Amino acid sequence: MREPWRVKFFSPRLEQEVLALPTGLLARFLRYCERIEAHGPDLGMPHTRAMGKGLFELRLKAAEGIARVFYCTQPGNRIVVLHRFVKKSQRTPLREIETARQRMRQLGND
């Protein structure tokens, strides 16, 4: 039997930021995390999107709006949540993607 996936956070501060999402977005995040732990990091569109070079985007949508949570994988079937933000425009701002990539580099995922 293969080892299950485990979702971890980049930092305790980020964990608090994610848990502070509006109720509907948080519920989606938690539901998707359960699915990721059961099936792996790539649930496919419209739930997740591969952003390239090992970065994934969890796509959350609820009555309160739209949010994105970036994550990557690590050895030992670990998934690390890197960054989250609430979308205000159609496109994902590059600075948000860069923040996630920078945290990925800090983990040693180049």
Side-chain angles (χ1 to χ4, degrees), residues 30-55:
L30 295 173
R31 184 175 328 133
Y32 290 164
C33 282
E34 287 176 357
R35 292 179 67 189
I36 285 171
E37 287 180 337
H39 303 289
D42 192 2
L43 300 177
M45 289 292 280
H47 312 298
T48 62
R49 185 172 115 191
M51 301 295 286
K53 298 183 182 175
L55 184 65

Side-chain angles (χ1 to χ4, degrees), residues 3-110:
E3 187 176 337
W5 289 91
R6 295 181 326 270
V7 175
K8 304 288 181 189
F9 289 88
F10 179 79
S11 69
R13 179 177 163 207
L14 176 62
E15 183 175 6
Q16 291 305 311
E17 289 176 8
V18 170
L19 295 176
L21 284 168
T23 307
L25 293 171
L26 179 59
R28 292 245 187 239
F29 172 78
L30 295 173
R31 184 175 328 133
Y32 290 164
C33 282
E34 287 176 357
R35 292 179 67 189
I36 285 171
E37 287 180 337
H39 303 289
D42 192 2
L43 300 177
M45 289 292 280
H47 312 298
T48 62
R49 185 172 115 191
M51 301 295 286
K53 298 183 182 175
L55 184 65
F56 291 88
E57 173 185 66
L58 190 60
R59 304 162 59 85
L60 308 174
K61 187 175 183 181
E64 298 94 344
I66 298 172
R68 298 291 187 253
V69 176
F70 293 107
Y71 62 95
C72 66
T73 61
Q74 288 202 306
N77 283 6
R78 254 184 0 150
I79 293 169
V80 180
V81 175
L82 300 166
H83 183 57
R84 73 100 176 138
F85 75 100
V86 176
K87 280 187 82 166
K88 307 254 189 263
S89 65
Q90 191 70 13
R91 297 183 64 93
T92 299
L94 290 177
R95 74 176 183 276
E96 305 292 355
I97 297 170
E98 189 48 44
T99 298
R101 290 196 188 284
Q102 180 182 1
R103 291 178 179 175
M104 218 167 99
R105 285 190 291 274
Q106 290 176 12
L107 293 173
N109 290 27
D110 295 304

